[in-house]
Amino acid sequence: MSYLSAFAEFLGRKEIDEIRFLGDALRGSLVQHMNSTPTGGGVAEILARLTPMMNEVGLNAQWTVMEAGVEFFEVTKALHNALHGEPVQLTSQMKSLFFAGAQKNFDKVTADADFVILHDPQPLPLIRGRSSHRGKWVWRCHIDLTKANRGVWNVLRPLVERADGAIFHMPEYAKDLSIPQYIIPPAIDPFSEKNREMSKGEVEKKLSDLGISTLKPIILQVSRFDRLKDPLGVIRAYEIVKRSFDCQLILAGGGAADDPEGQSYYQEVCRKAEGIPDLHLLNLPPNSDVEINALQRAATVVVQKSLREGFGLTVTEAMWKGKPVVGGNVGGIRRQIIEGITGFLVESPEGAAFRIRLLLAHPDLRQKMGEMAREFVQQNFLMAHYLKNWLLALQGLKHQEKAVVHFDALT
Ligand code: UDP
């Protein structure tokens, strides 16, 4: 059975046939995705699944990772934080590093690509060379731009407007741009190592390999070690919960090649965690997919107490595993958690502690909420939905100059 066909179990056969029809209409199109890290973080997670699925329906999709030095990534991490609303001052030296670092990757852009998709700000300056390429160019933004730092956005905006289209996760992230904008929420692959079903025995074996006992209820947050994921807030919430429940906290995460702040922030979290009973800090190597799968399945309550969040695939992953999620009331977490139905949205460590306690005390509520959460993911955030949305967006871009596009006679 083909990979896409397996999704019929969740979306129905008709929907899969429709996706194949849309793929056929783009058969042979060369689609090049460019981003800045091969592992760690949501963008890499998505591209690892989307690229083969685009190929399966007939496109010629490629995924290219930029190469750059640490100075470039320091600047782009500052840009990332600024787009999330941090007060970052972009100096002319930072701007030069950004433009020059990206430009060094220009020879990686496939000259005859039909679509060049630039993910997030890192590869965006490459668009200045688009006139020597015939294809359509797209900016795919994975960041919540609602509070974007004005100075930084003013630098990026002219680049974005050179594209043929921009794609955002949520309507709220769209900007006042001169180019068409598309809204596509991210998705997960239920058959990947990170999300596939696992037996209870396999979960327990993985946890024991990680040195974790399953005897006490587990509160879990999986995230890159990043201030905006608020692990310190999670620790604070755990300390409150621990006064009334004998539970344990696992903070699991790792780094990403394009995030140079990760390791020093991890040290800060280590210092904060010192001496707190039953707190496990797991600094995982790249590709720890099975470990993350097992941790999410073993968790009693999953937390994602982000202060900013583009979407939050870790929320989707936990919901898919039937877990109630206590998430920060920000960005894409709000798209996933329906308050009181698929999880709880919180504003503070105290609020998180209150909801975690409620869930620890009520197994029936956990069960019901987890079922609703899985159902919501099944209907909205699986990779086949994502592929379909992409194919529709590419069709829109391909026929952009036409006043009317006939979807029953696509060429
Ligand atoms: N992830 C991982 N290893 C880690 C930390 C995170 O594989 O140590 C994965 C996580 O399971 C999820 C993605 O990276 O699939 C994180 O995506 P999300 O949208 O939650 O956040 P981002 O890191 O992109 O801000």
Side-chain angles (χ1 to χ4, degrees):
M1 186 166 55
S2 76
Y3 208 72
L4 182 60
S5 301
F7 283 81
E9 178 187 349
F10 306 121
L11 281 81
R13 162 78 25 223
K14 263 185 77 180
E15 189 70 1
I16 302 303
D17 290 346
E18 203 170 309
I19 294 171
R20 288 199 189 283
F21 167 79
L22 290 169
D24 260 344
L26 288 161
R27 186 160 289 281
S29 299
L30 206 164
V31 181
Q32 184 179 26
H33 294 280
M34 279 198 104
N35 83 318
S36 56
T37 179
T39 55
V43 182
E45 186 76 19
I46 285 177
L47 289 179
R49 317 310 306 175
L50 179 65
T51 313
M53 288 186 77
M54 280 187 160
N55 286 326
E56 192 190 326
V57 294
L59 282 64
N60 177 5
Q62 304 171 355
W63 172 19
T64 307
V65 178
M66 301 170 68
E67 282 169 42
V70 68
E71 283 184 323
F72 173 80
F73 289 126
E74 275 165 6
V75 173
T76 55
K77 185 67 201 288
L79 293 178
H80 174 97
N81 290 339
L83 291 178
H84 272 300
E86 298 282 296
V88 171
Q89 197 59 45
L90 196 60
T91 63
S92 52
Q93 194 200 2
M94 287 163 84
K95 258 192 255 180
S96 311
L97 276 167
F98 174 49
F99 282 94
Q103 194 58 33
K104 284 192 189 132
N105 289 269
F106 193 71
D107 59 357
K108 293 193 175 66
V109 182
T110 308
D112 55 352
D114 296 292
F115 300 96
V116 179
I117 322 285
L118 306 176
H119 291 261
D120 279 348
Q122 295 90 336
L124 197 47
L126 293 172
I127 205 157
R128 293 179 307 163
R130 68 162 296 175
S131 56
S132 56
H133 291 60
R134 64 176 183 83
K136 301 277 185 184
W137 288 59
V138 181
W139 188 48
R140 200 320 174 208
C141 176
H142 298 259
I143 298 170
D144 172 357
L145 295 185
T146 47
K147 296 196 175 72
N149 175 292
R150 195 181 287 249
V152 168
W153 176 243
N154 284 342
V155 172
L156 298 184
R157 183 198 182 102
L159 299 173
V160 172
E161 290 194 321
R162 288 199 197 186
D164 297 287
I167 304 183
F168 299 100
H169 292 336
M170 310 219 299
E172 294 89 317
Y173 299 176
K175 288 281 184 195
D176 182 17
L177 293 172
S178 59
I179 56 170
Q181 299 176 65
Y182 299 81
I183 306 301
I184 307 185
I188 57 161
D189 181 351
F191 307 113
S192 68
E193 280 299 291
K194 187 167 281 162
N195 297 309
R196 68 170 168 81
E197 296 301 321
M198 278 178 114
S199 69
K200 209 161 172 267
E202 195 183 354
V203 169
E204 275 173 13
K205 166 83 177 59
K206 277 285 157 212
L207 262 80
S208 127
D209 291 349
L210 291 167
I212 291 170
S213 144
T214 48
L215 292 176
K216 293 183 186 180
I218 294 173
I219 302 162
L220 170 75
Q221 175 160 299
V222 175
S223 274
R224 288 179 296 104
F225 287 99
D226 183 320
R227 208 175 45 74
L228 294 179
K229 307 288 184 185
D230 200 20
L232 302 186
V234 180
I235 293 176
R236 174 79 196 115
Y238 169 68
E239 286 179 303
I240 299 171
V241 173
K242 186 75 172 164
R243 288 185 212 141
S244 41
F245 279 94
D246 189 16
C247 54
Q248 49 184 334
L249 173 66
I250 304 174
L251 292 175
D258 60 355
D259 180 2
E261 293 172 350
Q263 275 318 307
S264 64
Y265 190 66
Y266 173 68
Q267 298 305 332
E268 195 176 328
V269 179
C270 287
R271 286 193 290 278
K272 185 77 191 173
E274 226 172 76
I276 299 178
D278 297 320
L279 195 168
H280 307 272
L281 265 183
L282 302 179
N283 194 357
L284 299 171
N287 303 317
S288 299
D289 292 356
V290 186
E291 288 74 12
I292 291 173
N293 191 344
L295 287 165
Q296 287 168 332
R297 286 183 190 281
T300 316
V301 176
V302 172
V303 181
Q304 189 57 57
K305 219 206 99 12
S306 306
L307 303 171
R308 298 271 189 279
E309 193 61 78
F311 188 70
L313 280 180
T314 51
V315 173
T316 335
E317 289 158 6
M319 287 171 67
W320 178 246
K321 288 156 192 134
K323 302 296 167 179
V325 180
V326 175
N329 187 14
V330 292
I333 299 178
R334 295 149 76 129
R335 174 75 178 83
Q336 303 184 71
I337 295 184
I338 304 168
E339 177 64 9
I341 296 174
T342 65
F344 288 116
L345 293 167
V346 296
E347 308 272 355
S348 63
E350 292 72 21
F354 175 71
R355 291 311 193 184
I356 294 167
R357 275 199 319 233
L358 183 75
L359 286 163
L360 288 178
H362 294 95
D364 291 356
L365 176 64
R366 291 203 301 270
Q367 168 85 18
K368 188 81 206 134
M369 216 169 228
E371 282 166 14
M372 300 297 274
R374 181 174 165 109
E375 175 77 23
F376 194 56
V377 172
Q378 175 165 332
Q379 287 180 8
N380 294 282
F381 309 123
L382 294 186
M383 218 55 209
H385 298 118
Y386 193 61
L387 175 64
K388 181 178 178 183
N389 284 331
W390 260 106
L391 296 174
L392 287 166
L394 294 182
Q395 279 296 350
L397 286 154
K398 182 175 167 185
H399 298 287
Q400 211 163 37
E401 288 75 25
K402 294 184 188 165
V404 178
V405 180
H406 291 271
F407 272 92
D408 57 346
L410 288 173
T411 53

